[in-house]
Amino acid sequence: MMLSYIDPVAIELGPLSIRWYGIIIAAGILLGYFIAQAGVKRIGYDKDTLVDIIFWSAIFGFIVARIYFVIFQLPYYIQNPIEIPMIWHGGIAIHGGLIGGFATGVILCKMKNYNPFQIGDVIAPSIILGQGIGRWGNFMNHEAHGGPVSRAALEHLHIPEFIIKNMYIDGQYYQPTFLYESVWDILGFIILITVRKHLKIGETFCLYLIWYSIGRFFVEGMRTDSLMLTEHIRVAQVMSVILVIIGIAIIIYRRVKYNPLQYKEAGPLTWPKTKVK
């Protein structure tokens, strides 16, 4: 039996259970939306610019996050296909969500004639903030933790008592890797919001990819529930390295080939068709 300080279920309404995980994820998305909305208005876009982009990116992000997870757990789901849509049993991958959300966002930018790099800069701080908040859903679910540690080791970190108690799972204390990633992401949010006005169009989003991926690479190495590519290679660490390379490459390529405007200097931009002067 799992011995936990906090019940993962927040509200029970007859047969319906509302879990803290869902509440926290929804709160992260909502807060991110309001922050991005303030940013897009400063640029001069219409107040409804982000509604469809964030809504549909979130929907397809969750779908692809589940597909991504299932792909890397395929032997299990081949034997238990009825569980594939049972997302409430756990099993979504953030990198899958990012792939689905980014692809959806780019498609919608093309349809609406928005510049995807500029929109990416607007929402990048919101994405990493939402990820930092969302990790507390893992805390409530007693998942995404690291290896076993002593209570003394947790106390040495000077973290609140409620976190220490909730990391006591099945008779053992565990490393709160959710907390490490959450702190890293929230620090990333502060950095992105602070430096964005000094960067060129597209670079805030690339910095997000780089910052998030560096933190995720190291935190993933501590976790005990990673999706594995091989016996020793973790999928999330491979993806993190790829995203760091992509982020750096895009910054260099766009600076050399296009010399884009600074974020603070640009008004609403359209889908990139020609060289930006």
Side-chain angles (χ1 to χ4, degrees), residues 24-267:
I24 291 172
I25 293 293
I29 293 174
L30 193 60
L31 179 59
Y33 167 75
F34 285 122
I35 291 173
Q37 189 78 322
V40 83
K41 286 180 181 178
R42 290 192 198 101
I43 295 173
Y45 279 96
D46 183 83
K47 63 184 178 67
D48 296 326
T49 298
L50 294 180
V51 174
D52 286 346
I53 293 176
I54 291 180
F55 177 78
W56 290 111
S57 293
I59 295 296
F60 284 101
F62 273 112
I63 293 172
V64 178
R66 180 58 173 178
I67 293 172
Y68 185 99
F69 182 86
V70 169
I71 287 172
F72 288 103
Q73 297 284 338
L74 201 54
Y76 174 82
Y77 286 104
I78 288 175
Q79 296 295 322
N80 303 276
I82 195 172
E83 292 192 25
I84 291 176
M86 295 182 180
I87 197 169
W88 54 90
H89 286 178
I92 61 173
I94 286 181
H95 281 124
L98 294 179
I99 292 169
F102 295 164
T104 302
V106 169
I107 292 170
L108 288 171
C109 282
K110 175 66 173 175
M111 293 171 60
K112 295 175 178 291
N113 198 29
Y114 299 146
N115 186 288
F117 292 105
Q118 187 176 39
I119 295 297
D121 288 345
V122 170
I123 66 175
S126 295
I127 295 172
I128 200 167
L129 178 62
Q131 289 173 308
I133 293 171
R135 278 303 177 196
W136 287 86
N138 296 132
F139 170 70
M140 296 297 190
N141 272 359
H142 316 100
E143 62 189 9
H145 55 69
V149 294
S150 66
R151 180 182 174 89
L154 295 179
E155 291 174 343
H156 185 69
L157 296 175
H158 303 292
I159 58 179
E161 178 66 17
F162 79 94
I163 294 179
I164 294 176
K165 286 185 177 181
N166 208 47
M167 296 313 297
Y168 187 72
I169 304 168
D170 292 334
Q172 174 67 59
Y173 288 100
Y174 288 92
Q175 192 85 260
T177 49
F178 87 92
L179 178 63
Y180 307 153
E181 187 170 334
S182 178
V183 171
W184 180 262
D185 290 347
I186 292 171
L187 179 59
F189 164 76
I190 295 170
I191 290 172
L192 293 182
I193 283 290
T194 302
V195 305
R196 179 170 60 183
K197 63 184 178 181
H198 302 295
L199 299 177
K200 293 181 179 291
I201 295 294
E203 293 183 355
T204 302
F205 181 76
C206 290
L207 181 58
Y208 154 71
L209 292 180
I210 295 166
W211 179 269
Y212 170 70
S213 298
I214 290 173
R216 179 63 187 271
F217 180 89
F218 288 103
V219 171
E220 191 68 22
M222 305 178 193
R223 286 177 53 173
T224 59
D225 60 347
S226 301
L227 294 176
M228 304 300 293
L229 190 61
T230 69
E231 184 179 354
H232 302 293
I233 300 177
R234 301 167 190 259
V235 174
Q237 288 185 314
V238 173
M239 284 298 302
S240 293
V241 171
I242 292 172
L243 290 177
V244 168
I245 294 171
I246 289 174
I248 294 172
I250 291 175
I251 290 175
I252 294 173
Y253 177 80
R254 283 176 53 77
R255 284 219 172 198
V256 170
K257 188 171 180 63
Y258 297 105
N259 188 28
L261 296 169
Q262 278 196 314
Y263 178 85
K264 66 180 179 181
E265 296 174 346

